[in-house]
Amino acid sequence: MDGMRGDPAALLLLADSRLPAGGHAHSGGVEEAVRLGTVTDVDDLARFLRGRLATAGLVTAALSAAACELAAGEPDVVGRAGGTAAAGSPAPPVRPYAMDASWRTGGSGGPGAAASEVAAAEDLRRRLWRRLDDEADARTASPAQREAARTQGRLLLRTARRLWPSPALETLARAIPEGPHHPIALGAAAASAGCEPQQAALAAAYTSVTGPATAAVRLLGLDPVTVHRLLADLAPALNDAAHAACASLMDTVLTDTTLTDTTLTDPALTDAALDDTTPAGPALSGPAPSGPALSGPAPSGPAGMDASPGSAGPPPGDASGSAQTGWRGGWAGLPGHSAPALDLLAEGHLANPMKLFVS
């Protein structure tokens, strides 16, 4: 992909279904679709994969890119992101967090930083991770899918902490002890492995279709070469999804963010603002929900958090026309594309006593 940096070998490892993180056990809804007779041959599978990529695949890709960007602010990555370029080579991209490392070491950033400042910075990082995980929760309407996503995310995080140890993964594990959603863990693992957000998005988009494709081979006895031809045909769409996922984050994910002492006391980053502004997806006790709750962006939170760029005005505590030193983040650009059919498939699959895969 044009201009994409990062470690390509690590990207291959993350996208490999043989990585001991449970990916090979997930069918992405295709097992229930086979049971119901809606996927019976290669043509049906092709339509299923394209639909899944355009909905769930795009959402997970964007969440993974956002998580990768957030994880890139941890101390082991800041140095690489804001390092000095070699003579004659383009300067490395500056991460938003790299503009001010005091957010992780305390107000002064020096070795003598007060313990309270360090604890406040750590608490802020945890709350940001919980906030992003809430965004994933709000975009996953089916309880069965939420449970599966957290199980897979917990397994991936456990594996990644052994393969690519990093402060980002440790912070995420402490922030969400029950296990983050899979795309959140994937993005954090990608950053820790040296990948860029666009690579994290590509890995998420790729796994969103390869899991169902592999499951369909086993369930329907399809020719593996024919199924992989479907995946090869999807390659341009995978690249497009990764590009779209990252484009959706421009000017909304940690943009112009400088986490300073002022930021640590910003009302927009209180526990109430970060932890409870985005409701979890509704339980499915009847027909799949539809409408704005599933197809639109997550409900708006405090000013400057989930409003469109430029529409919210300065964050709480910033006077009009003052320097932009406070919180300027939020995830308003994350896509909220829904797939009610996948929600119903997941719920039906959960109730089916005979199954080979997780929904």
Side-chain angles (χ1 to χ4, degrees), residues 83-191:
T84 303
S89 62
V94 178
R95 301 286 191 181
Y97 276 98
M99 292 187 292
D100 183 359
S102 65
W103 70 279
R104 67 174 176 84
T105 57
S108 65
S116 61
E117 293 177 335
V118 176
E122 167 72 9
D123 183 61
L124 172 60
R125 296 201 306 274
R126 294 190 195 184
R127 285 183 278 139
L128 289 173
W129 279 117
R130 290 200 303 268
R131 182 66 175 86
L132 183 56
D133 193 70
D134 284 345
E135 295 288 341
D137 220 45
R139 285 163 172 79
T140 310
S142 162
Q145 284 187 317
R146 290 201 297 270
E147 180 181 356
R150 289 198 182 280
T151 299
Q152 196 174 3
R154 185 167 57 249
L155 292 173
L156 175 58
L157 181 58
R158 182 184 66 185
T159 300
R161 290 170 72 187
R162 295 180 61 184
L163 296 181
W164 302 289
S166 74
L169 295 177
E170 296 306 314
T171 302
L172 177 58
R174 291 192 294 270
I176 312 171
E178 69 274 21
H181 278 261
H182 179 257
I184 308 303
L186 178 59

